[in-house]
């Protein structure tokens, strides 16, 4: 399957679809596209072949992204100010790397909110090009969703309104500018957005400094230590450097106790298989807590998926080192047990009561495939057209979508299906019950080539247009694998 995937992407690259870069595509569209910013030009000019930066493992401490503080708190509203800006960041030891960021750091500041409190975040775009903000997994109105055709112009500001009327969970925010999202996110426009609740607090799970978001992703560098965003090759072959919270194979000092790790795979394209020489228990997924804890021997995350995992370092002697390893990118991160600790946290045997599935009023089939000319990836035979509505959904109703990944002329090609607006439930995979890690709410789901997955979603509250797409970012951003639904009253 891996081999065939390479072939399919290679074919896309060879047809010239790739040579017409996203930037040109953006310029050719009606999309408000600015001239390419100077610093990206320079990067493009210097970008030689991808090189191995040869960073010595476990010499840099993994940072925990700082938490963005509200500038004003009023009633049940929290007001924030944030920005989009270019920044020279410290990814590689001893050199600066140009990045596109939220708030100036390669991993954006974490936004931690409380369920039921509304967050109004004023984002100012200090980049030289249009860009926006999508709250991935957020239940928000269309004008706060970071719709691809709805960027913030350079120099302008925009208030995004996040109601946070949804379960406590691990979300993330990232750029979603039409044709540019793959490159923007790859260059650093990504951060955590955590929704917390009192109910979850009372459960006694590890909290505060023992609740750590970890963004894992791959990247490629050129000889100058700059991020190489290459389109001509299979990204799984070129993007070989693992990053944990923006550092190459860092270490992270821990106490000999339980930790809650909120792990996000923010890679554009790569699926990651993680192992650790300590017990891992999955307690949550994209949409918050699972019904029950799930012991894991391996944690597999597709792009944009999150897993909330409790890792138990109790009983480990000070000095113990445990490597979070992957078969895809090698070692990712080392946990160093540096101190003993008193631990009163717990993992309750039942985490969440799942309501019975609502009766569905409509069933649809969504087909993912290679485009007819093998120049694109398509949903139901078509590339994204912002002027076309692909599914009309009645507000408040429940639907079952069968997402079918067709067998292409090159064989099976994997995709990752993501829907905006809703958290859905996975009903089955090719008729079989979903694995325990997929029994909670999800917004992103892996669809292996030549298989189908059925999901059920209730489209409550908002009307308007929302996209659904493959979350292998280049597939959606550059090759067209995106469609849209319109929720109507
Ligand atoms: Cu994470 Cu449409 O995106
Ligand atoms: Cu999303
Ligand atoms: Cu895809």
């Amino acid at each position: 399957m891996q081999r065939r995937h390479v072939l399919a992407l290679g074919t896309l690259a060879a047809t010239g679809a790739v040579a017409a870069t996203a930037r040109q595509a953006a310029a050719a569209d009606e999309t408000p596209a600015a001239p390419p910013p100077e610093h990206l030009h320079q990067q493009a000019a210097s970008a030689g072949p991808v090189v191995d930066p040869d960073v010595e493992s476990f010499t840099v401490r993994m940072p925990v992204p700082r938490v963005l503080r509200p500038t004003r708190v009023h009633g049940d509203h929290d007001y924030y100010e944030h920005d989009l800006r270019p920044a020279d960041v410290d990814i590689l030891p001893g050199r600066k790397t140009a990045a596109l960021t939220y708030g100036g750091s390669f991993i954006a500041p974490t936004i931690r909110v409380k369920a039921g409190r509304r967050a109004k975040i004023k984002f100012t775009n200090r980049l030289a090009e249009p860009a926006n903000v999508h709250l991935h997994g957020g239940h928000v109105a269309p004008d706060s969703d970071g719709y691809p055709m709805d960027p913030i112009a350079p120099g302008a500001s925009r208030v995004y309104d996040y109601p946070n009327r949804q379960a406590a969970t691990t979300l993330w925010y990232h750029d979603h500018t039409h044709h540019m999202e793959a490159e923007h996110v790859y260059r650093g426009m990504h951060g955590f957005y955590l929704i917390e609740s009192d109910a979850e607090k009372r459960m006694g799970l590890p909290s505060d400094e023992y609740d750590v978001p970890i963004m894992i992703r791959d990247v490629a560098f050129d000889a100058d230590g700059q991020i190489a965003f290459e389109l001509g090759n299979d990204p799984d072959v070129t993007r070989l450097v693992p990053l944990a919270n923006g550092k190459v194979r860092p270490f992270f000092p821990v106490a000999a106790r339980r930790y809650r790790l909120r792990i996000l795979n923010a890679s554009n394209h790569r699926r990651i298989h993680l192992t650790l020489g300590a017990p891992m228990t999955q307690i949550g997924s994209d949409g918050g807590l699972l019904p029950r804890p799930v012991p894991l021997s391996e944690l597999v995350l597709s792009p944009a998926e999150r897993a909330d995992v409790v890792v138990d370092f109790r009983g480990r002697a000070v000095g113990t080192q445990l490597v979070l390893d992957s078969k895809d990118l090698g070692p990712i991160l080392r946990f160093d047990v540096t101190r003993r600790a008193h631990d009163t946290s717990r993992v309750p045997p039942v985490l969440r009561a799942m309501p019975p599935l609502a009766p569905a009023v409509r069933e649809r089939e969504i087909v993912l495939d290679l485009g007819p000319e093998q120049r694109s990836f398509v949903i139901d035979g078509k590339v994204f057209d912002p002027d076309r509505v692909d599914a009309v959904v009645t507000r408040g109703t429940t639907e079952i979508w069968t997402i079918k990944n067709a067998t292409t002329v090159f064989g099976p090609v994997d995709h990752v299906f993501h829907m905006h607006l809703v958290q859905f439930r996975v009903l089955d995979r090719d008729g079989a019950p979903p694995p325990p890690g997929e029994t909670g709410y999800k917004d992103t789901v892996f669809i292996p080539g030549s298989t189908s997955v059925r999901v059920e979603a209730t489209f409550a509250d908002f009307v308007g247009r929302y996209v659904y797409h493959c979350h292998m970012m280049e597939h959606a951003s550059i090759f067209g694998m995106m469609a849209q639904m319109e929720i109507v009253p």
Side-chain angles (χ1 to χ4, degrees), residues 12 15 17 369-378 383 478-481:
L12 287 176
T15 58
D369 203 352
L370 185 65
E373 317 285 348
Q374 291 134 45
R375 288 165 166 269
S376 58
F377 283 122
V378 292
V383 296
I478 296 159
F479 297 116
M481 197 164 228

Side-chain angles (χ1 to χ4, degrees), residues 354-360 398 400 425-427 441 456-458:
M354 297 296 287
L357 287 163
T398 298
I400 292 173
R425 282 163 78 174
V426 179
L427 300 180
Y441 288 92
E456 180 179 293
T458 300

Side-chain angles (χ1 to χ4, degrees), residues 134-137 174 418 420 469:
H134 168 58
L135 178 57
H136 179 118
H174 63 75
H418 168 54
H420 285 214
H469 56 89

